[in-house]
Amino acid sequence: MHHMETSRISFEAFLLTAFDQGDYSTDDAIAFVLPLCRKVLGFHEAGLVAPFESADALFVRERILDMDEALAHAPAVALYRVEALFPRPQSRPFEIVDTIRLRTDAGEGTTQTETTQVQLNEKEPLQHPAYLPGYRSFELSLGQHDPLTDILCLGLILGGMALGQDLYDPDDLQYFARTRTQPSFHHPRIILP
């Protein structure tokens, strides 16, 4: 009996054409990510964490997102490095939720804005919490990896799919960071309670 291998494509390669036919419905995004959520839950129940630090670990097979379970591993604790990025506020009369960088081209007469919540150059040390290209939490780059880190990574995947954004793409990542707090304002089909 001949066993036929089902096709497997990296998640990053899948995203290059994932939204060509339009955005996923909310239910389709959930159905796409839910099996991965269940797999990650199984890792956690076994005392392990998911290999989100390895982009190659995520793949799509039969239109379902999956992960290489052989790469699951023990948690890593470096919470002190994460805490160092969160300065203790002196007072709370207001909260700064974002800062932006303005890039002006006087010759062209254009101005672009970038949120500082995104750090595209992963070789630069983090100065504050930031979104990195792909679907990894900034905590992973600091050596912190626990079940909560996995939950954030799963949230990035679900959010990216629901918003039709490829977080490996710098422009999509910037857009995601700017719109994440009010997604239904930018995507009326997403209705929040």
Side-chain angles (χ1 to χ4, degrees), residues 96-117:
I96 298 172
V97 294
D98 194 8
T99 57
I100 59 170
R101 245 186 314 273
L102 293 174
R103 296 190 188 273
T104 303
D105 185 333
E108 295 284 323
T110 60
T111 302
Q112 291 180 319
T113 62
E114 291 179 347
T115 177
T116 59
Q117 291 182 40

Side-chain angles (χ1 to χ4, degrees), residues 24-46:
Y24 280 45
S25 71
T26 303
D27 288 344
D28 288 343
I30 291 169
F32 180 75
V33 178
L34 191 56
L36 179 63
C37 293
R38 288 186 178 120
K39 181 171 272 188
V40 172
L41 174 62
F43 295 157
H44 294 171
E45 289 172 343

Side-chain angles (χ1 to χ4, degrees), residues 26 29-30 33 135 153-163:
T26 303
I30 291 169
V33 178
Y135 298 85
C153 295
L154 289 168
L156 290 170
I157 293 169
L158 184 58
M161 294 305 295
L163 296 175

Side-chain angles (χ1 to χ4, degrees), residues 140-162:
L140 293 172
S141 67
L142 299 172
Q144 171 68 23
H145 192 170
D146 61 13
L148 288 176
T149 308
D150 285 350
I151 299 301
L152 177 55
C153 295
L154 289 168
L156 290 170
I157 293 169
L158 184 58
M161 294 305 295

